[in-house]
Amino acid sequence: MHAKKAPREDHELRESMTSAFLQCIEQGCERRYPLDAREHLCSACGALLDVRYDFSGIDPKPLSTLWQQRKMSGAITDQSGVWRFRELLPFVPAGTDVISLSEGRTPLIEVNRTGEWAGVQLSIKHQGNNPTGSFKDLGMTACITQAAILGSRVTACASTGNTSASMAAYAARAGMKAVVFVPFGKISTAKLAQALEFGAVVIEMGDNFDQAFHMLRELTDELGLYLVNSLNPFRLEGQKTIVCEILEQRDWRVPDYLVLPGGNLGNVSSVGKGLQELRQLGVIDKLPRLVVVQAEGASPFFTMISSGADEIVPVQPRTEASAIRIGNPVNWKKALRAIRLTDGLCESVSDEQIFEAKAALAKDGVGCEPASAASVAGIQKLVRSGKVEDGADVVAVLTGHQLKDPEIAIKRRSERELAQQRLHVEPDIDKLRAALESVMLQSA
Ligand code: F0G
């Protein structure tokens, strides 16, 4: 049977939209820009920009029912876990075709063994179940749609791998050229393969993300490239809808803590914005405490917060969790705003702790890439230090799929584990029997 071709209007947002604009986040400046401004930073003071809305025309009461009802519809705009919540994204003019791969719609799963290991009541929101295997797809549908609205032809990003895979897919779908800058030899083969397969040009340069990002930013305006890094506020608009999914999956019961790994700090910023808007609209009346967890060797935000400093001090990043190997996070001011808004916390964890958390999740049958496990490792550390209460109700975001970094899963297994788990047996029935008998002893 052939699938019925979706009518064109399935991709189209037809509702009329409220007014939207860009605004500088710096108190005292707060300069406004039109939505089609090319700037991603305030031209007056250099600070980051937000997409802001006038929500006054929205009746918040039926929102959760409307969002629920859309699940029954086959339209791509309703199937998407981003555009289903489009009342929160009214930057898209009515009649616009959105560039979507049916992103979002990811599971929220209780992980009891991992919860016991960490000392809390734990659920995980698995963003690895997205079209390209990471949370980046939520942001990419929003910002590639905006790139299409602006008539952009070439999109660009610097990346530790996931943004590049996601951008390449969404740019392909939109018929745009994609150029990605990645640190040379420092991203996983799986992520590189994704970007190449979707037709992106991959420029490998320098030793880390920060260098590649810096070089790219020098040229984006000059060459008219559309930058999709999380500096782009439209990316964060898509990513913020994860809070709607999580809370809807919990019947709008707000958890005590919502935990995320932090690299360039776009995701925690977007989640903070989503929570703030849901509260402003009256959909929720309290906020979870946001927790952002960095890898110890790439933790300038943690250092800033724990030392009480006012500014971030960039570091040379070092961690095996390559997705969050970032030493100069561009969104730190927005992240600080999110932590302050929610009375949140920041923690850092060693690579060892990250891989212990990954092993704990594996016992629940849940895989993820190393960076994602930082969130769970951070929770255990915060419970042990008494900063998070024993038994608290916690949702941890797992940001990327297990198969994003398969090499490390093997490299990180100890010789003892490999001796027990990876057996090379000659095709001889007696040797095979002996091997299987030893396996059966293991499970006894
Ligand atoms: N987890 C994964 C799997 C990531 O790929 C990233 C970031 C993060 C967490 C951190 O998110 O930057 O919003 O704080 N990856 C980017 C990339 C930098 O290029 O793929 P953040």
Side-chain angles (χ1 to χ4, degrees):
M1 221 174 82
H2 292 289
K4 218 172 103 201
K5 195 168 182 297
R8 185 176 158 75
E9 61 267 26
D10 267 10
H11 303 256
E12 229 179 55
L13 288 179
R14 274 164 290 164
E15 292 88 344
S16 61
M17 295 287 166
T18 54
S19 66
F21 50 92
L22 294 169
Q23 186 167 31
C24 170
I25 68 163
E26 202 61 40
Q27 272 183 1
C29 178
E30 291 162 341
R31 187 161 167 169
R32 291 187 179 193
Y33 299 84
L35 282 185
D36 60 359
R38 289 276 166 180
E39 293 93 337
H40 291 318
L41 295 176
C42 177
S43 52
C45 74
L48 297 164
L49 302 180
D50 268 334
V51 186
R52 298 289 295 270
Y53 310 106
D54 171 11
F55 284 130
S56 56
I58 293 188
D59 177 4
K61 280 191 225 89
L63 278 180
S64 54
T65 316
L66 179 66
W67 293 338
Q68 186 70 27
Q69 279 165 354
R70 285 183 183 148
K71 281 183 166 174
M72 309 296 288
S73 147
I76 283 183
T77 46
D78 292 335
Q79 287 285 310
S80 160
V82 172
W83 300 108
R84 187 158 68 84
F85 305 104
R86 51 191 171 268
E87 285 69 23
L88 297 181
L89 305 155
F91 66 85
V92 179
T96 303
D97 277 349
V98 298
I99 312 295
S100 171
L101 287 162
S102 210
E103 49 289 318
R105 303 147 46 95
T106 57
L108 182 73
I109 308 164
E110 277 181 34
V111 282
N112 296 336
R113 291 192 192 104
T114 314
E116 215 168 282
W117 176 85
V120 295
Q121 202 188 314
L122 185 65
S123 303
I124 52 116
K125 176 70 172 163
H126 209 321
Q127 295 301 85
N129 289 36
N130 267 294
T132 75
S134 84
F135 72 101
K136 306 288 180 178
D137 295 340
L138 271 62
M140 216 49 78
T141 185
C143 91
I144 296 292
T145 294
Q146 176 65 8
I149 292 171
L150 297 179
S152 308
R153 286 182 302 115
V154 186
T155 63
C157 69
S159 181
T160 55
N162 281 325
T163 302
S164 58
S166 181
M167 180 187 78
Y170 282 80
R173 193 160 177 84
M176 294 172 195
K177 188 83 204 153
V179 184
V180 312
F181 283 46
V182 297
F184 182 63
K186 292 284 178 6
I187 74 165
S188 87
T189 314
K191 296 175 188 178
L192 178 65
Q194 284 184 290
L196 292 173
E197 182 153 11
F198 292 127
V201 172
V202 178
I203 299 177
E204 299 181 272
M205 68 151 50
D207 172 61
N208 61 50
F209 168 89
D210 305 287
Q211 255 177 349
F213 187 43
H214 180 74
M215 302 289 279
L216 173 61
R217 281 180 65 188
E218 297 273 306
L219 292 177
T220 39
D221 289 346
E222 185 185 323
L223 300 180
L225 306 171
Y226 188 77
L227 185 72
V228 311
N229 280 100
S230 52
L231 184 66
N232 180 328
F234 294 94
R235 264 273 305 280
L236 304 193
E237 290 307 290
Q239 284 170 213
K240 77 183 178 188
T241 59
I242 189 179
V243 297
C244 301
E245 276 201 352
I246 293 174
L247 293 172
E248 186 184 63
Q249 284 164 318
R250 294 172 49 98
D251 286 330
W252 301 96
R253 266 184 316 106
V254 175
D256 298 326
Y257 296 89
L258 180 52
V259 193
L260 307 109
N264 220 6
L265 300 175
N267 211 22
V268 66
S269 305
S270 70
V271 166
K273 186 169 188 282
L275 288 169
Q276 191 264 329
E277 289 175 356
L278 282 182
R279 188 172 63 175
Q280 185 192 342
L281 280 164
V283 179
I284 52 174
D285 56 12
K286 66 169 197 163
L287 303 177
R289 295 180 76 185
L290 282 179
V291 181
V292 61
V293 185
Q294 298 203 290
E296 225 164 62
S299 56
F301 189 63
F302 168 75
T303 306
M304 182 188 90
I305 295 214
S306 53
S307 66
D310 305 328
E311 292 275 328
I312 202 132
V313 179
V315 299
Q316 273 299 324
R318 274 176 295 102
T319 169
E320 283 207 81
S322 61
I324 50 173
R325 199 169 157 269
I326 293 176
N328 190 11
V330 70
N331 289 299
W332 69 267
K333 281 196 178 168
K334 284 186 178 177
L336 186 60
R337 183 177 67 176
I339 295 294
R340 285 188 177 145
L341 170 80
T342 63
D343 188 22
L345 298 165
C346 186
E347 186 52 278
S348 78
V349 289
S350 66
D351 283 5
E352 222 42 64
Q353 288 165 326
I354 288 176
F355 286 100
E356 280 169 24
K358 198 160 142 48
L361 283 160
K363 293 198 173 119
D364 271 309
V366 174
C368 63
E369 66 169 293
S372 309
S375 55
V376 173
I379 275 294
Q380 191 205 47
K381 193 166 172 191
L382 287 164
V383 170
R384 287 189 172 168
S385 65
K387 292 185 188 135
V388 163
E389 317 77 62
D390 245 323
D393 178 7
V394 179
V395 174
V397 177
L398 297 187
T399 42
H401 197 280
Q402 178 184 34
L403 297 178
K404 284 283 192 175
D405 210 341
E407 299 96 345
I408 203 126
I410 295 179
K411 187 176 140 203
R412 269 279 166 172
R413 300 204 81 63
S414 68
E415 285 195 7
R416 195 174 136 265
E417 284 167 326
L418 281 177
Q420 287 191 341
Q421 285 186 274
R422 194 176 181 187
L423 312 181
H424 180 197
V425 184
E426 280 171 43
D428 171 289
I429 202 72
D430 292 328
K431 291 193 171 137
L432 184 59
R433 182 177 297 109
L436 287 175
E437 277 167 0
S438 76
V439 171
M440 288 163 84
L441 279 178
Q442 274 180 36
S443 67

